[in-house]
Amino acid sequence: KVHADLRDAGFRDIDHEVVRFQKLVPDWTHFAQGTIYGNPMIADIMASEVNPDDMVAAIAGELEARYGKPPAKMPLEATVYAAHKR
């Protein structure tokens, strides 16, 4: 779909690659706080009956269960596209 969208927008020689790396996370709670409190939906979360701090604790707990006690490495990946404009 991305290739088609880029072609439709006038790009050519479209290529992509997946870049994988490990991110050292020193503290799961701080990471989870950024995920919740840095989220553009934070106003909606705070207006709901859900306590954002409970969400932070749940996310931090799941990350620790999956990746281990901090500091721990978390696998990440990004898809990078390159193209030329016609």
Side-chain angles (χ1 to χ4, degrees), residues 44-79:
D44 295 316
I45 293 169
M46 294 182 87
S48 74
E49 295 180 16
V50 177
N51 180 336
D53 291 330
D54 291 343
M55 293 176 75
V56 167
I59 291 169
E62 288 296 320
L63 289 167
E64 185 170 312
R66 181 173 289 188
Y67 301 112
K69 292 194 177 294
K73 289 187 177 177
M74 178 182 212
L76 298 174
E77 71 177 38
T79 304

Side-chain angles (χ1 to χ4, degrees), residues 2-83:
V2 173
H3 282 256
D5 289 344
L6 288 168
R7 267 193 311 278
D8 291 347
F11 288 92
R12 60 181 172 76
D13 301 328
I14 302 164
D15 196 10
H16 76 279
E17 69 176 297
V18 176
V19 178
R20 291 178 177 86
F21 55 98
Q22 298 280 319
K23 171 70 176 156
L24 181 63
V25 179
D27 185 303
W28 290 125
T29 299
H30 287 144
F31 183 89
Q33 285 172 332
T35 301
I36 297 303
Y37 287 99
N39 189 315
M41 300 287 294
I42 188 60
D44 295 316
I45 293 169
M46 294 182 87
S48 74
E49 295 180 16
V50 177
N51 180 336
D53 291 330
D54 291 343
M55 293 176 75
V56 167
I59 291 169
E62 288 296 320
L63 289 167
E64 185 170 312
R66 181 173 289 188
Y67 301 112
K69 292 194 177 294
K73 289 187 177 177
M74 178 182 212
L76 298 174
E77 71 177 38
T79 304
V80 180
Y81 289 87

